[in-house]
Amino acid sequence: MNENLNKVSQAFCISNAPLSRRLCKDLESMGPMGQLASLLFKAEKARIQAMCYRGTAPVSRQPYRDYSKDRMQEMLMEVICHLDAHAKDLEVSWGWQANEKPDSPPWILCIELPTGLVTFRMQSRRMGPEYDLGFADGYRNSDRITEFCAGVLDGRWIVGEEVEET
């Protein structure tokens, strides 16, 4: 597992598009669970980049940060569609909670992965159920998504079932 965990961590931490594309292609080949892992990887990487980027694009004058936020929203819409279609088969609980924090987006998308709960704050609620299974415990999304992606590559989560390690 350490090899895959290192591979995913490296793709998260450095800006190397070919490496990230290769990782996502490997994940997507693992079926619906791998497709979910790939989408979450892309969404979380875009979220992290949006926090780090500075400056504006020379032609559009749009902040680079906005491009990453748009990419994150696009990936989260794909995550929602994927979960709507496959969550039951994957045995992944997910849904929406109202965000009661002031000065923060009003909705929280909650996804319970085998590695724990991940959350994304969003301006508007999309399709999907209410989520009433608890709330985030302060653990970082990127850590749980990295562990989830590595576990999928290791074959530990196939169609929602945890495979016993030998």
Side-chain angles (χ1 to χ4, degrees):
M1 176 174 157
N2 284 339
E3 180 180 327
N4 284 327
L5 187 57
N6 289 339
K7 177 180 175 180
V8 177
S9 294
Q10 183 180 19
F12 249 124
C13 294
I14 64 172
S15 184
N16 182 329
L19 177 65
S20 293
R21 279 199 284 287
R22 228 177 4 261
L23 172 68
C24 289
K25 185 176 179 181
D26 290 347
L27 286 166
E28 290 161 4
S29 73
M30 306 287 290
M33 192 65 90
Q35 293 161 2
L36 176 61
S38 174
L39 290 169
L40 288 171
F41 173 88
K42 292 172 187 176
E44 182 65 7
K45 185 155 184 172
R47 187 188 70 78
I48 290 168
Q49 288 172 333
M51 292 187 298
C52 298
Y53 283 157
R54 302 285 182 264
T56 57
V59 175
S60 71
R61 307 301 297 162
Q62 182 178 5
Y64 287 123
R65 169 179 303 199
D66 289 354
Y67 289 112
S68 289
K69 287 180 181 178
D70 291 346
R71 174 78 172 155
M72 180 189 73
Q73 292 295 318
E74 177 186 330
M75 290 300 102
L76 289 175
M77 290 306 299
E78 288 189 37
V79 166
I80 292 165
C81 291
H82 188 76
L83 287 170
D84 191 53
H86 299 285
K88 193 170 195 170
D89 294 335
L90 298 176
E91 299 176 5
V92 173
S93 298
W94 72 287
W96 296 92
Q97 284 186 345
N99 188 2
E100 297 174 5
K101 276 187 169 180
D103 301 325
S104 186
W107 292 101
I108 302 171
L109 173 63
C110 303
I111 305 166
E112 186 67 44
L113 298 175
T115 54
L117 181 66
V118 295
T119 60
F120 295 91
R121 276 117 185 103
M122 299 185 72
Q123 288 298 329
S124 60
R125 181 183 169 149
R126 309 294 187 192
M127 68 179 145
E130 293 290 323
Y131 185 84
D132 57 3
L133 299 176
F135 192 69
D137 55 11
Y139 201 81
R140 291 181 26 202
N141 274 1
S142 55
D143 294 338
R144 286 191 172 148
I145 292 171
T146 298
E147 292 168 16
F148 176 58
C149 290
V152 169
L153 290 171
D154 291 340
R156 285 189 285 152
W157 297 293
I158 300 171
V159 190
E161 296 179 16
E162 190 168 338
V163 177
E164 295 294 320
E165 292 186 40
T166 55

